[in-house]
Amino acid sequence: MDIPQEIDDYILESIEYSLGLLSTIGKYKGFEMFGVFENDYFDLVVLAKSSMNAQAVKKFIEENQKLALECGNLLTRCTKWEKECSLYDHGVEALMEFGNEAIEKAK
């Protein structure tokens, strides 16, 4: 999935800020050891992005587990209500039969 450049820039700036790095790697370009800084920088960015992804996946899994638990609770309640409705229907049918028999006997 490709993300817009503005969002990618925002993520990189957030990571740089969180890690206490300079706001742009461009400030290192004058240094002789730029390649070393660049590699370290990009390693940190990859590590930070991986960490952010792992946190998002962990949160997703936790939310899924909560939803699964709630679905189980709702299913249990639904089953209970279905039994109650069935008992109610049988009770109504029995009362109707009793009422019909009473009418027949009265005739």
Side-chain angles (χ1 to χ4, degrees):
M1 177 176 127
D2 291 331
I3 59 174
Q5 186 62 42
E6 298 85 29
I7 294 174
D8 193 48
D9 291 343
Y10 175 78
I11 291 170
L12 288 175
E13 287 175 16
S14 297
I15 292 168
E16 290 171 346
Y17 179 79
S18 299
L19 296 173
L21 300 173
L22 296 173
S23 62
T24 62
I25 196 163
K27 294 181 181 181
Y28 290 120
K29 287 188 178 180
F31 293 142
E32 204 171 278
M33 296 181 60
F34 172 67
V36 174
F37 288 129
E38 184 179 36
N39 290 338
D40 290 344
Y41 170 80
F42 287 114
D43 288 345
L44 286 172
V45 168
V46 168
L47 180 64
K49 280 187 175 183
S50 296
S51 177
M52 290 170 65
N53 287 340
Q55 289 173 355
V57 169
K58 181 180 176 185
K59 185 175 181 180
F60 175 77
I61 289 170
E62 289 171 353
E63 290 297 317
N64 255 1
Q65 288 172 339
K66 288 178 186 176
L67 289 173
L69 180 63
E70 186 60 28
C71 283
N73 291 340
L74 290 172
L75 183 61
T76 300
R77 281 195 221 156
C78 186
T79 303
K80 179 183 173 187
W81 291 338
E82 284 176 346
K83 287 179 184 176
E84 287 183 22
C85 287
S86 177
L87 289 173
Y88 175 80
D89 286 342
H90 290 305
V92 168
E93 287 175 16
L95 284 173
M96 294 289 284
E97 283 181 32
F98 178 76
N100 288 340
E101 288 175 10
I103 292 171
E104 287 297 317
K105 284 183 183 178
K107 287 183 181 179

